[in-house]
Amino acid sequence: MLKRILAISAALLVGASLAFAQTTADGGAKAASAGSVNASWGNWKSIPKSKIGTDMFNFKKEVVITPNSGSKGGKFALEKGEAKFKTESYTALYHNVKPDGSIEKTCTDERWRKAVYTITIDDAATITLTVAGNGSKDPSRCVVLGTRTEGTDAKGKPAEIYTPLVSIDNLSQDEAPKTITYKNAPKGTYYIIGNGHRIVAVEAKN
């Protein structure tokens, strides 16, 4: 009983902390060596060669995204979920939407996580994501950069728990792409999750 009460309390606290999107934050870490991380993905001129093609597919194994030429010190990969490349006014990674979503639901319920990506940096660096909505402006169309722990949900079942560091919602395909930035991130692995979104570019630099 106590375990259930604690799980519910934790869920309520997470929900409260996610009430508003925060598009910038600072991790406060200092790089051991300036210039050790300078990696980027995206701003593609055309659809790149990749296991991710132009048809939406549900991936269950990791797909590493090839970095832009000259990149070093970072890795960006699709861990699992639906994704495809598509070119309209720009080339991006596209993702479907589950309606009536939100940042909170995307973090706490896998039904709203259309894709899970990882970005790993070898040294402290600033991570910037350029994203847009894949459809009309709506709270469901959101992207979160955060951390993940293994835990349990309110019913006591095993669950992946995501804690946002920076996030954005109300994205739209009819508006210019927007950025979210986690400055001075400590080295390690971070997670990018979202619903009804496009990933235009990812950058890690110190």
Side-chain angles (χ1 to χ4, degrees), residues 157-200:
K157 295 182 179 180
E160 294 174 348
I161 301 171
Y162 292 87
T163 302
L165 296 166
V166 289
S167 60
I168 191 168
D169 59 5
N170 281 297
L171 292 168
S172 170
Q173 67 180 20
D174 300 318
E175 296 179 355
K178 302 181 185 300
T179 61
I180 58 176
T181 303
Y182 186 45
K183 300 176 181 179
N184 304 307
K187 70 176 182 179
T189 297
Y190 299 87
Y191 296 86
I192 301 167
I193 58 175
N195 182 36
H197 63 297
R198 302 176 184 181
I199 296 178
V200 181

Side-chain angles (χ1 to χ4, degrees), residues 2-202:
L2 178 59
K3 182 178 180 181
R4 178 176 173 80
I5 292 172
L6 290 173
I8 293 172
S9 298
L12 290 173
L13 287 171
V14 169
S17 69
L18 294 174
F20 300 100
Q22 180 176 325
T23 58
T24 61
D26 195 322
K30 292 184 178 180
S33 177
S36 58
V37 178
N38 188 359
S40 65
W41 301 261
N43 290 317
W44 297 281
K45 301 302 181 184
S46 60
I47 293 172
K49 291 181 180 180
S50 171
K51 290 183 180 179
I52 301 174
T54 56
D55 293 321
M56 192 67 73
F57 185 79
N58 191 350
F59 293 86
K60 296 181 180 180
K61 294 182 179 180
E62 182 186 71
V63 178
V64 176
I65 312 298
T66 302
N68 295 333
S69 179
S71 292
K72 64 177 181 178
K75 175 185 173 183
F76 174 49
L78 171 65
E79 182 180 272
K80 60 183 176 181
E82 296 178 347
K84 71 175 181 180
F85 278 105
K86 186 176 180 180
T87 299
E88 291 182 316
S89 57
Y90 49 80
T91 299
L93 284 161
Y94 280 56
H95 309 86
N96 288 327
V97 66
K98 178 175 172 58
D100 302 319
S102 63
I103 291 173
E104 292 90 335
K105 288 179 179 178
T106 302
C107 285
T108 59
D109 193 323
E110 64 181 0
R111 291 176 296 173
W112 276 271
R113 289 194 289 274
K114 286 299 179 180
V116 178
Y117 292 85
T118 58
I119 178 166
T120 302
I121 50 176
D122 298 341
D123 195 358
T126 292
I127 300 171
T128 301
L129 310 181
T130 303
V131 296
N134 189 20
S136 57
K137 191 171 186 175
D138 188 271
S140 294
R141 303 187 188 282
C142 58
V143 176
V144 173
L145 172 70
T147 59
R148 184 175 77 186
T149 56
E150 302 297 325
T152 56
D153 61 18
K155 295 182 180 180
K157 295 182 179 180
E160 294 174 348
I161 301 171
Y162 292 87
T163 302
L165 296 166
V166 289
S167 60
I168 191 168
D169 59 5
N170 281 297
L171 292 168
S172 170
Q173 67 180 20
D174 300 318
E175 296 179 355
K178 302 181 185 300
T179 61
I180 58 176
T181 303
Y182 186 45
K183 300 176 181 179
N184 304 307
K187 70 176 182 179
T189 297
Y190 299 87
Y191 296 86
I192 301 167
I193 58 175
N195 182 36
H197 63 297
R198 302 176 184 181
I199 296 178
V200 181
V202 177

